[in-house]
Amino acid sequence: MDKIIIEGGARLQGTVRSSGAKNAALPLLAATLLTDQECILSNVPQLRDIRTIDQLLTQLGSQLKFEDDNKVTIKTPQLSGLEAPYELVKTMRASVLVLGSLLARAGKAKVSLPGGCAIGARPINLHLNGLQKLGAEIYLEEGYIIAEAHRLRGAKVTLDLPTVTGTENLIMAAVFAEGQTIIENAAREPEIDDLVNMLNKMGAKIQGIGSAHLVIDGVGSLSGTRHTIIPDRIETGTLMLAAAITHGNVEIMDCRPDHLISVTAKLREAGIEVEESADSLKVINSNGRWKAVSATTAPYPGFPTDMQAQWMAFMSLANGASLISETVFENRFMHVLELDRMGADISIEGHTAIVRGVEHLSGAPVMATDLRASASLILAGLAAQGETEVSRIYHLDRGYEHLENKLALLGAKIKRVKAK
Ligand code: EPU
């Protein structure tokens, strides 16, 4: 297995570009199943999760052509399968995103029930309840969810929680439903807006973009389209913290500062200078130690759970103590023990981590447990004294496009050691 080795202490400086958003690319690719015409997506990040959905869509009958410049041409003239198999769902839970589009296009879908995962139980009951409201019959057979509907009917669905992929599945399912569908308490993440924008370009009638109240009027068919995927706000946020934790001066181009308001506010509160333009952010840390700033994760526009582990690495070196509460997932603190092995002083009480800032971290061999935990350990390694070796970085490769190359271009002493 590949490893990442970091010699800590280098101050990051220069300019870097954001990649396209993983969590927008996945539902957008799933949504191309809704048409038999050609779709061209640009700014698709090169990631392991994208290769997984490529495999899944290919099995379902899609023809995908990836080009070097992050462009994908995709066409599904006919569906040749209706199943998301266990082997793919277990490597990427977002495979459940084909449930809504398959059901809408073919009237049937068979998707392996995802089990628990490293960050929590993560059930999909709200996806299924919503689809049932739209008239789907749902049953479970040998670990698979089978959803069937001759034609879905518009209905009002009120989500108990603003689930991100649940909202996306319901939007895709409702696009061809007879009449009007209303989704209340819909998730408001920017990746959902990106999906709605693309579907509307294809001919869907979805109103309420950016709000928790979505209204979808069913249409008969969708056409192909060209669409550019939004920048990855979590990658941008991670790069912002890489600049801050190394006392750096970094400009991040081609990003969406308006998607990172909660992260920017916390950084400023900690005493870090952040300059914004419409599509770039500059992060400058010219001070000594930064202030301790507590954070509680929440659905968008709150502080993202996908930035919690990285914020904790940053806070582990702050001047003072902070509380980091995780309210979205029940078990997303696996990075704590690894950070503590690097000299951090973090303890957990229920859903809250108490982070007492230390003066320095020391490099150590550490193990990534999930995607964002791996980013957190890399941030800690960038700031630590000595060498940090991060193993199990296949987690990182699921969701960050060449992160080590981007950091190296900014002056980090970081390299990947390939598995023999
Ligand atoms: N939930 C339920 N029932 C459901 C659906 C969700 O109880 O039917 C609960 C979950 O267990 C969790 C909470 O609701 O406690 C929120 O989960 P949500 O469904 O919003 O998460 P998701 O759609 O599975 C997406 C991202 C995650 C990100 C979360 C929260 C994608 C492909 N994944 O997951 O991204 O953490 O929203 O913002 O969009 C990552 O990129 O590292 C990642 C984990």
Side-chain angles (χ1 to χ4, degrees):
M1 274 185 277
D2 293 3
K3 288 177 178 170
I4 280 188
I5 300 190
I6 308 163
E7 183 64 41
R11 190 170 168 250
L12 299 196
Q13 258 180 313
T15 302
V16 62
R17 203 194 141 260
S18 281
S19 296
K22 164 180 87 80
N23 289 348
L26 295 172
L28 266 60
L29 282 161
T32 65
L33 289 174
L34 291 164
T35 176
D36 57 7
Q37 295 178 23
E38 186 175 271
C39 296
I40 301 177
L41 298 183
S42 305
N43 208 26
V44 179
Q46 290 170 12
L47 304 170
R48 203 157 65 94
D49 275 5
I50 298 295
R51 290 201 294 276
T52 307
I53 198 149
D54 172 19
Q55 241 179 302
L56 173 57
L57 295 180
T58 304
Q59 284 186 21
L60 296 173
S62 307
Q63 298 150 5
L64 294 97
K65 200 168 122 230
F66 284 80
E67 283 161 51
D68 285 346
D69 55 350
N70 294 73
K71 195 155 77 174
V72 182
T73 305
I74 172 163
K75 191 170 178 180
T76 315
Q78 264 183 332
L79 289 168
S80 58
L82 296 173
E83 180 179 324
Y86 176 63
E87 296 70 55
L88 293 179
V89 178
K90 79 170 188 240
T91 53
M92 187 185 74
R93 301 174 56 85
S95 305
V96 301
L97 280 166
V98 298
L99 186 56
S101 48
L102 284 177
L103 189 59
R105 176 150 170 198
K108 184 167 178 183
K110 181 174 173 189
V111 172
S112 170
L113 197 59
C117 81
I119 62 175
R122 300 183 77 184
I124 57 162
N125 57 315
L126 303 175
H127 305 222
L128 304 182
N129 292 348
L131 294 175
Q132 277 171 328
K133 286 257 168 65
L134 298 182
E137 271 189 47
I138 298 203
Y139 49 97
L140 196 71
E141 209 175 77
E142 296 169 348
Y144 279 78
I145 304 148
I146 300 179
E148 281 180 342
H150 175 59
R151 185 172 177 197
L152 294 167
R153 289 183 312 273
K156 182 166 173 176
V157 180
T158 304
L159 293 170
D160 289 348
L161 289 167
T163 158
V164 175
T165 48
T167 302
E168 291 162 347
N169 251 332
L170 290 172
I171 293 171
M172 290 188 260
V175 154
F176 297 146
E178 202 177 327
Q180 190 171 73
T181 299
I182 298 177
I183 309 176
E184 295 288 6
N185 199 25
R188 289 185 287 157
E189 270 64 9
E191 293 74 23
I192 292 174
D193 301 356
D194 209 25
L195 173 66
V196 169
N197 279 328
M198 184 180 86
L199 288 171
N200 280 344
K201 282 199 274 181
M202 293 166 78
K205 290 199 173 132
I206 309 169
Q207 295 173 61
I209 188 158
S211 80
H213 173 86
L214 296 174
V215 180
I216 304 156
D217 286 298
V219 296
S221 64
L222 293 185
S223 63
T225 192
R226 281 175 179 267
H227 188 81
T228 301
I229 288 165
I230 55 168
D232 195 311
R233 63 195 165 95
I234 306 301
E235 185 212 30
T236 306
T238 304
L239 291 167
M240 290 169 85
L241 290 188
I245 205 169
T246 61
H247 297 275
N249 182 336
V250 171
E251 186 164 23
I252 307 160
M253 312 295 289
D254 298 332
C255 66
R256 286 286 297 264
D258 56 326
H259 292 164
L260 280 144
I261 287 172
S262 57
V263 175
T264 300
K266 292 276 170 208
L267 267 170
R268 286 185 175 141
E269 217 180 310
I272 309 298
E273 203 179 315
V274 184
E275 291 170 15
E276 318 178 30
S277 79
D279 63 356
S280 72
L281 279 163
K282 196 165 188 181
V283 178
I284 306 159
N285 182 2
S286 43
N287 302 321
R289 284 175 78 192
W290 44 92
K291 283 192 211 121
V293 176
S294 297
T296 299
T297 64
Y300 189 84
F303 190 85
T305 172
D306 291 344
M307 284 298 298
Q308 178 259 108
Q310 301 90 311
W311 187 255
M312 197 177 298
F314 182 53
M315 280 302 110
S316 70
L317 285 165
N319 190 5
S322 58
L323 299 176
I324 300 184
S325 299
E326 174 58 61
T327 71
V328 179
F329 290 109
E330 68 267 31
N331 185 28
R332 213 177 192 180
F333 281 147
M334 305 277 275
H335 42 282
V336 168
L337 286 174
E338 300 299 300
L339 289 172
D340 281 352
R341 294 187 58 249
M342 297 178 72
D345 180 357
I346 310 171
S347 48
I348 303 173
E349 269 182 34
H351 291 300
T352 300
I354 302 142
V355 187
R356 294 179 187 85
V358 294
E359 279 188 29
H360 65 263
L361 296 174
S362 330
V366 285
M367 208 189 302
T369 47
D370 69 69
L371 169 58
R372 308 305 170 187
S374 48
S376 157
L377 297 175
I378 287 178
L379 291 178
L382 289 174
Q385 295 176 351
E387 187 177 282
T388 297
E389 184 183 294
V390 186
S391 54
R392 300 210 175 158
I393 55 150
Y394 51 87
H395 290 295
L396 184 81
D397 296 334
R398 288 190 48 197
Y400 284 94
E401 190 177 49
H402 314 308
L403 184 65
E404 76 275 16
N405 296 351
K406 291 189 178 188
L407 294 171
L409 284 173
L410 294 171
K413 296 204 176 74
I414 183 168
K415 63 177 185 210
R416 176 181 291 249
V417 179
K418 291 262 179 207
K420 295 212 177 82

